[in-house]
Every structure is written in C-alpha cells, then in structure tokens.
Amino acid sequence: MNLDLKPTSDFPILIEGQPGLTVILKLSCCNERSETLLIRPILEDGFTDSQQVVSCHYQVNPAYLYLLPKKAENLILTFQIPETIADQNSVKIGLRFPGIEAEAIPILITLVSPQPSSETRSPANSIEKSLKVIFPFSDQNLLPSTHLSPQKTSIMGKFTSRLMDLDTIPSRWLIVEILTLLAIIGDDYSQTKPGNKTLQDLEKTVFFQQGVTAFNSGGIPQWMLITLSTIQTYLGQKFVLELWEQWLYSLGSTDLEHEKNPETILMSPLFPSPWISQQNNQTERWFSNIILGLKQINPSFSEQLETLISQTSKPPKNPAFGLGLLPFINPKNNQETPIITPEKDITLITGLSSFDILPARWLVVELLFMIAAQGNQYSTEKLGIELSSKLQRTRFFKNGILALASAQFPRWLIVTHQAASAFHTDTGGTLETQGLLYFWEKWLWSLNSQPLPNLVNYHTLTETLIQNNGMDVEKWFLDLILGLALISPRISAFIQTLAEISPIISPQPTIVKTPSEDILNSNLSLQR
C-alpha cells in the first residue's frame, strides 16, 4: 500500500509521539447519503519510510454503527503506536470504511525521541484526535490509495466498486435474478427424460400444490417479470450476475505482468432474451422450474426432494380410514384443493416487501459463505486437489488474488457476517436460526405439511469456515471458485479450460547416487 497524502485542512491526520503512544480517534460520522450505512472502520497495515510493515492493534467502540440517512453518530477508535518501529521513521497508515468508500483516510505518524530528562514514561501516555467524517467522502480531500497500471486499476477497481454497489442495490434484484437462473436450469432439466419424470411426480405432491398456491397469492410471476424489466432499464439491458460473470472471466484474459490490454471474451448471455420474453404468468411453470433448478445445483435439496416424492408414490397405510389420501395429509383436507395457512401467505408477502429495502450485500455474503463451504469441502477431495493445483499456476488465479487483496475482501466478508450476527442477536434471534437462507429454506419445506428436514446451521458453517481461512485471500478465492464450478456448468467449463492450459511443472531430475567403494580394503585389482 502506498498512501498518497494530499495535505488539506482535515487530511492527513497528523500525529506526533513516541513508540507505545496510545492514540484515541474520536470520529463523528455523518451520513449524507440517501441509504442507511453500516459503519465499521478498520485500520490497515502501514509502512515506514524504510518500507517496514507496521501493524497496529486497535479497538472500535461501539463495534459498528447502523447510520440512518441524514443522521450523525459518534464512535471511538483506539490504537497504539508499535514499539518496534525504529527511531527517525514516519509511519503512513490508512483508516478505511469497507463497503462504503474505496479511499482510505491517511494517517501520518511522526515519531519523536523521548526527552532525556524523563527516565520513566508517564502512565497517561495518550493523545486524542477528533475528526468529522462525512459520507460520501469529498474528492478534493482524498486520493486513491494506490498508483497502478490501467490494467491493474481496472481489475481491482471494478471489484471494489461492485462490492460497494451491493450496499446500494436492493436484494430484490439479486433474488429475482437467482430465481430466474434457477428457472432456466430447471426448464432445461425438465426437457430431459429423467427431468420430465421428476416433474410429473412433483406435480402430484401437496408440496407442489401448496407452493403454487403461495406463489399465486404473492403474485410471484408478475413480481419477477417486472423486476427483470427494471434491472435491464437501470443497467442498460444487463443483469447484475452478468456483470459479475464478465469480471470473473476478465481475470483470465488480462495480462498484468506485461500490462497488455485484456482480450475480448465472447460468451452467450446468462439470461437468454428469447427465454425471458416467452415467460408469462403461469405460476405452475415458474414454481416447478425453480424447484427443479434447485434440485440440479444442490445435492442435499435433491435428496430431500426425492424423499418427498417417494413418500407420495407409496400406497396409503390404512385405506379404509385414510380414504385413499396420502399418508402425511390430514384426511379432512382435499388433495385437489390444498389449504395454505394464512401464516405462510403473510410470510411470503412480507418477505418480498423486505427485499426492496434490504441491501444486496447481506444476501450476497450468505451466498458466498455457502458457496465457499462447498468449495472448501471439494478442495479436500482427489479431483478438487488436482484442479486446485492447476488453477494456482494460472494468470486467472493470480489476478483474482490481487483483486481480492486490494479490496480487503476477507475482512469485508467477515465484518459483514459479524454485523449481521450482532443484529440478529439484538433482535432476539438465536444463532442456530440466523440467516436469510435458513429462513426461506424453512418456509419452503413448511409447504410439505411434514416435520422439517435437517436444515443447514448457517452460523456454525460460517464460523468454521472463518476459523479455517481467516484472512488468507488465496484460500477464500480458491474455495469460492471451486464452489462456483460445482453449481455453475458455465463457470465449470471455463475453469476446466484454464486448468488444461496451465503451465506444467517440470519434475525435478532424479539424482542417482553411486555407492562409494572401499578401494583400500578391496581384494580386487586397482587396474579393474
């Protein structure tokens, strides 16, 4: 990191003191944006004049601020100047607000030698600084923290800006795109012989009938088609997932070492326009395609769905008393006109409305943890180990590491998870029931009128992954790529192609050691 310090009335923050000095930064955070912000500052590692890396341990109180539009709140960041810094050095450190601003507030620390007359250090060895931070930052006060080539700036800048965009776009956009993608996958699967058989069996279940009724009550088809049109209007006939996919592919076509312009990548649209234009308000088709799409990408869901279908195909245990109905349906209900409880209907409608105000960042972080968990598991298997070894030798992998490291992606991911956990706990929830994915998975299986299957404990899964990967950018990127390859045939084909053309490591030549002979004590002739 090479902070570009531009002197102004406020920045950089100038501090003078001895090593070991405690610095107390009193930050007054003002939100001038129109959306609510999650404020959780971090103190980056810095450098001295002699290029010594400096890490400052710091504390933030309170841990985060949930700052409403046009409001101001205070927090305190406390850190200590490391005592390991050599004298006559100045230190440059960055105060950053992940997910909100791409620039860092520069802090310039000038070390001073202790006074000869003071043999012992005063117990009150601290200094206070007050700073007003207004979001968004003023361009005249801060400059980007790095000076890189246009290719590097493009790779890293696009990733950082897209992370920031997740705080401004509604979750509704991402939810609709994911559901549409699942519907496309499910529609393709239904055209196959096994898929058609599964579809016919699925339509006989109460789970399917309850789901169609709920989708119809919530107006899901109209809601999705309107949202797709809105996204294309705002993004110029593009979709959010397509933009991310293009960025991912660009990692393999950009040569940062020789600073060449990236190659143009031609790929088919992620959301085919003809398919979308052919969709209408047929609730049964939307629901069945989404369920079949989930079955294709989620092995656990596929097993549970197969179990549900097999229960439907079994004959009733007591025909005389069951009146020919399914074993798990109350006989007083009519199989052809299933009753959906008002609670399920209200939950669906309320949940849909919350997606309009909930930033996409919260949903994305949950999805990334789930994808990384699958990739982490795959990386321990034989095929995953072989693929990982090849990928780590590609330009694609190196570029990805650079982009994630520049945006401090692991910290952004973990901080968001911790903030979501704190918010969930403050509202009276338990850690076992944490997460949007858990909530909606529970709602989906409740349509079956059967005891819920074992649901994934999102909190335990996430904490285990954080403990394994920590702040290791390489581990996070590898897990995410492997996880994406498992659920996306397009990305899988792309990754496999890169792996096949990865540089081959030449095996080390085997050195054959010739055993030494005891010539002096040998009975053989010296002229042999």
Side-chain angles (χ1 to χ4, degrees), residues 210-279:
Q210 293 268 37
V212 170
T213 304
F215 265 43
N216 190 53
S217 300
I220 298 298
Q222 301 93 322
W223 182 74
M224 291 183 61
L225 292 174
I226 292 173
T227 305
L228 289 174
S229 177
T230 302
I231 296 173
Q232 287 186 303
T233 301
Y234 275 89
L235 299 182
Q237 303 305 308
K238 291 285 187 179
F239 292 98
V240 177
L241 294 180
E242 284 183 338
L243 295 176
W244 277 103
E245 186 185 45
Q246 290 175 357
W247 174 85
L248 185 68
Y249 291 165
S250 70
L251 295 178
S253 62
T254 304
D255 189 350
L256 298 184
E257 295 179 359
H258 301 89
E259 299 187 1
K260 296 180 180 179
N261 292 327
E263 303 170 2
T264 302
I265 300 178
L266 300 177
M267 58 184 181
S268 59
L270 188 60
F271 300 91
S273 298
W275 189 93
I276 295 178
S277 62
Q278 294 172 2
Q279 302 310 301

Side-chain angles (χ1 to χ4, degrees), residues 415-432:
V415 164
T416 305
H417 163 69
Q418 292 175 343
S421 298
F423 179 78
H424 183 79
T425 305
D426 290 343
T427 56
T430 61
L431 294 178
E432 291 75 15

Side-chain angles (χ1 to χ4, degrees), residues 402-452:
L402 179 63
L404 267 65
S406 67
Q408 294 199 341
F409 174 76
R411 190 182 296 273
W412 177 86
L413 197 65
I414 295 172
V415 164
T416 305
H417 163 69
Q418 292 175 343
S421 298
F423 179 78
H424 183 79
T425 305
D426 290 343
T427 56
T430 61
L431 294 178
E432 291 75 15
T433 61
Q434 176 186 343
L436 294 169
L437 299 180
Y438 175 90
F439 175 85
W440 285 108
E441 185 180 11
K442 181 179 178 181
W443 176 87
L444 182 63
W445 287 119
S446 70
L447 299 174
N448 190 29
S449 303
Q450 277 282 336
L452 295 176

Side-chain angles (χ1 to χ4, degrees), residues 73-88:
E73 297 288 346
N74 299 323
L75 59 78
I76 298 176
L77 187 146
T78 305
F79 69 94
Q80 189 177 56
I81 302 176
E83 298 186 1
T84 57
I85 303 176
D87 292 341
Q88 308 303 322

Side-chain angles (χ1 to χ4, degrees), residues 199-215:
L199 176 60
Q200 292 178 3
D201 294 338
L202 176 65
E203 291 175 344
K204 300 175 184 177
T205 64
V206 170
F207 169 78
F208 175 81
Q209 297 171 20
Q210 293 268 37
V212 170
T213 304
F215 265 43

Side-chain angles (χ1 to χ4, degrees), residues 104-359:
I105 295 179
I107 301 176
L108 180 59
I109 302 175
T110 302
L111 298 180
V112 296
S113 301
Q115 298 296 329
S117 59
S118 58
E119 297 181 357
T120 59
R121 180 176 297 165
S122 172
N125 186 22
S126 64
I127 185 174
E128 292 187 1
K129 288 281 186 177
S130 298
L131 179 67
K132 186 175 183 180
V133 183
I134 301 176
F135 303 99
F137 286 170
S138 171
D139 293 335
Q140 64 181 358
N141 287 341
L142 296 173
L143 292 178
S145 58
T146 54
H147 291 288
L148 302 171
S149 66
Q151 290 79 16
K152 292 182 181 180
T153 303
S154 176
I155 286 291
M156 297 184 298
K158 285 185 178 179
F159 182 75
T160 303
S161 65
R162 294 227 160 78
L163 286 184
M164 295 173 61
D165 288 342
L166 297 178
D167 286 312
T168 60
I169 64 175
S171 292
R172 173 176 177 171
W173 289 15
L174 198 62
I175 284 289
V176 169
E177 288 193 21
I178 292 175
L179 292 178
T180 303
L181 196 57
L182 289 174
I184 294 174
I185 297 173
D187 188 44
D188 292 339
Y189 178 59
S190 67
Q191 307 302 320
T192 64
K193 186 175 180 180
N196 185 261
K197 176 65 167 57
T198 302
L199 176 60
Q200 292 178 3
D201 294 338
L202 176 65
E203 291 175 344
K204 300 175 184 177
T205 64
V206 170
F207 169 78
F208 175 81
Q209 297 171 20
Q210 293 268 37
V212 170
T213 304
F215 265 43
N216 190 53
S217 300
I220 298 298
Q222 301 93 322
W223 182 74
M224 291 183 61
L225 292 174
I226 292 173
T227 305
L228 289 174
S229 177
T230 302
I231 296 173
Q232 287 186 303
T233 301
Y234 275 89
L235 299 182
Q237 303 305 308
K238 291 285 187 179
F239 292 98
V240 177
L241 294 180
E242 284 183 338
L243 295 176
W244 277 103
E245 186 185 45
Q246 290 175 357
W247 174 85
L248 185 68
Y249 291 165
S250 70
L251 295 178
S253 62
T254 304
D255 189 350
L256 298 184
E257 295 179 359
H258 301 89
E259 299 187 1
K260 296 180 180 179
N261 292 327
E263 303 170 2
T264 302
I265 300 178
L266 300 177
M267 58 184 181
S268 59
L270 188 60
F271 300 91
S273 298
W275 189 93
I276 295 178
S277 62
Q278 294 172 2
Q279 302 310 301
N280 49 36
N281 295 331
Q282 292 182 4
T283 308
E284 296 86 351
R285 184 179 180 184
W286 275 106
F287 183 76
S288 61
N289 285 339
I290 291 173
I291 295 300
L292 292 179
L294 278 171
K295 183 180 185 300
Q296 284 296 96
I297 70 168
N298 191 325
S300 176
F301 182 87
S302 178
E303 292 178 5
Q304 294 169 350
L305 187 65
E306 292 291 349
T307 301
L308 184 150
I309 292 176
S310 65
Q311 291 175 343
T312 304
S313 61
K314 293 180 181 180
K317 296 181 180 180
N318 299 312
F321 299 96
L323 303 179
L325 299 178
L326 300 179
F328 53 87
I329 300 178
N330 192 323
K332 67 180 180 180
N333 291 342
N334 188 335
Q335 181 183 1
E336 297 182 357
T337 57
I339 298 176
I340 182 167
T341 60
E343 290 79 7
K344 294 185 179 67
D345 201 358
I346 294 173
T347 300
L348 177 62
I349 296 174
T350 305
L352 293 182
S353 62
S354 68
F355 289 140
D356 287 321
I357 58 176
L358 185 68

Side-chain angles (χ1 to χ4, degrees), residues 23-27 41 59-63 65 74-78:
V23 180
I24 303 174
L25 286 181
K26 296 184 176 181
L27 305 178
Q59 293 181 339
V60 182
N61 185 30
L65 291 178
N74 299 323
L75 59 78
I76 298 176
L77 187 146
T78 305

